[in-house]
Amino acid sequence: GAVVSQHPSRVICKSGTSVKIECRSLDFQATTMFWYRQFPKQSLMLMATSNEGSKATYEQGVEKDKFLINHASLTLSTLTVTSAHPEDSSFYICSASGRGSTDTQYFGPGTRLTVL
Amino acid sequence: GDSVTQMEGPVTLSEEAFLTINCTYTATGYPSLFWYVQYPGEGLQLLLKATKADDKGSNKGFEATYRKETTSFHLEKGSVQVSDSAVYFCALLKGTGRRALTFGSGTRLQVQP
């Protein structure tokens, strides 16, 4: 199946700093990418949807100025957590879907963010 | 809005036992239904899917049938193995509009030798 990678897999940062997480589709063109957040022992909550070359669409309650999403190419999307605080500590997961298979999403392995 | 409800876990079974994880959904229209599995320390993997009523998805011995009349998509396996220990997520995808998945809360399965 298609492969989606995320980098870094883990990151620890100080409160107030910004962190960038990359999501790449390695063997297909991802026309749409999704960013989810997963709290411990809970389900995935959709944060935003991004289409290549367009502004991301954020879910209600997600601060777009805090969680900056860029989807500049068909293989790369980035999520930047700006001025991170301890409450932003979580597991962030991206997924991607391509042309012709819009009902199938391929998930990255996730990024564990810890804000001290 | 759309929602997916799964049975709470953890579910603890002995090896070779029969598994059922219940999943029901609420959605308008005709969603596609999915089961994803998350092994410890890994990302979500698609386990199986069904795109219309009465379809049966199957993979690795797991099965689920799309039941429109009961709005259910229960996951079953006849004989579980220790390696099946993971968290299982039921999800739906609407046929039109926003193409993001709506997930259930996940059910943790622990299989003991």
Side-chain angles (χ1 to χ4, degrees), chain A residues 95-112:
Chain A
S95 71
S97 64
R99 294 191 186 97
S101 62
T102 55
D103 68 336
T104 300
Q105 293 183 26
Y106 301 96
F107 283 80
T111 297
R112 171 78 57 197

Side-chain angles (χ1 to χ4, degrees), chain A residues 34 38 43 46 103-105, chain B residues 34 49 98-100 103-104:
Chain A
F34 305 87
Q38 185 180 26
S43 187
L46 180 68
D103 68 336
T104 300
Q105 293 183 26
Chain B
F34 303 81
K49 69 177 184 181
R98 180 162 70 80
R99 301 297 291 173
F103 284 91

Side-chain angles (χ1 to χ4, degrees), chain B:
Chain B
D2 301 339
S3 66
V4 176
T5 303
Q6 286 180 240
M7 60 188 291
E8 286 193 24
V11 174
T12 303
L13 296 173
S14 297
E15 208 165 20
E16 298 184 2
F18 185 86
L19 168 71
T20 299
I21 300 178
N22 289 338
C23 170
T24 57
Y25 67 91
T26 302
T28 56
Y30 304 95
S32 295
L33 301 174
F34 303 81
W35 277 100
Y36 281 84
V37 58
Q38 186 177 32
Y39 297 103
E42 299 183 17
L44 272 73
Q45 300 174 26
L46 177 63
L47 181 60
L48 54 84
K49 69 177 184 181
T51 57
K52 61 183 187 297
D54 299 326
D55 266 3
K56 177 186 284 187
S58 61
N59 186 25
K60 299 181 181 179
F62 291 90
E63 292 183 340
T65 301
Y66 189 142
R67 301 284 188 201
K68 194 171 188 304
E69 63 275 14
T70 54
T71 62
S72 65
F73 193 53
H74 304 322
L75 182 67
E76 297 182 336
K77 186 174 185 181
S79 177
V80 294
Q81 305 300 312
V82 173
S83 57
D84 294 326
S85 298
V87 181
Y88 292 82
F89 291 94
C90 185
L92 70 82
L93 182 68
K94 289 291 284 290
T96 58
R98 180 162 70 80
R99 301 297 291 173
L101 290 160
T102 299
F103 284 91
S105 56
T107 302
R108 182 174 299 277
L109 170 65
Q110 297 174 330
V111 181
Q112 298 175 336

Side-chain angles (χ1 to χ4, degrees), chain A residues 29-41:
Chain A
Q29 294 184 327
T31 51
T32 306
M33 285 186 169
F34 305 87
W35 286 95
Y36 296 85
R37 184 171 177 176
Q38 185 180 26
F39 292 99
K41 298 185 179 181

Side-chain angles (χ1 to χ4, degrees), chain A residues 48-85:
Chain A
T49 303
S50 72
N51 293 300
E52 186 263 339
S54 303
K55 288 186 177 180
T57 301
Y58 290 80
E59 294 301 298
Q60 192 172 9
V62 178
E63 299 176 60
K64 61 182 180 182
D65 293 331
K66 180 167 186 64
F67 298 99
L68 301 178
I69 291 171
N70 183 281
H71 189 171
S73 77
L74 284 171
T75 59
L76 174 65
S77 177
T78 60
L79 167 67
T80 302
V81 183
T82 62
S83 186
H85 291 283

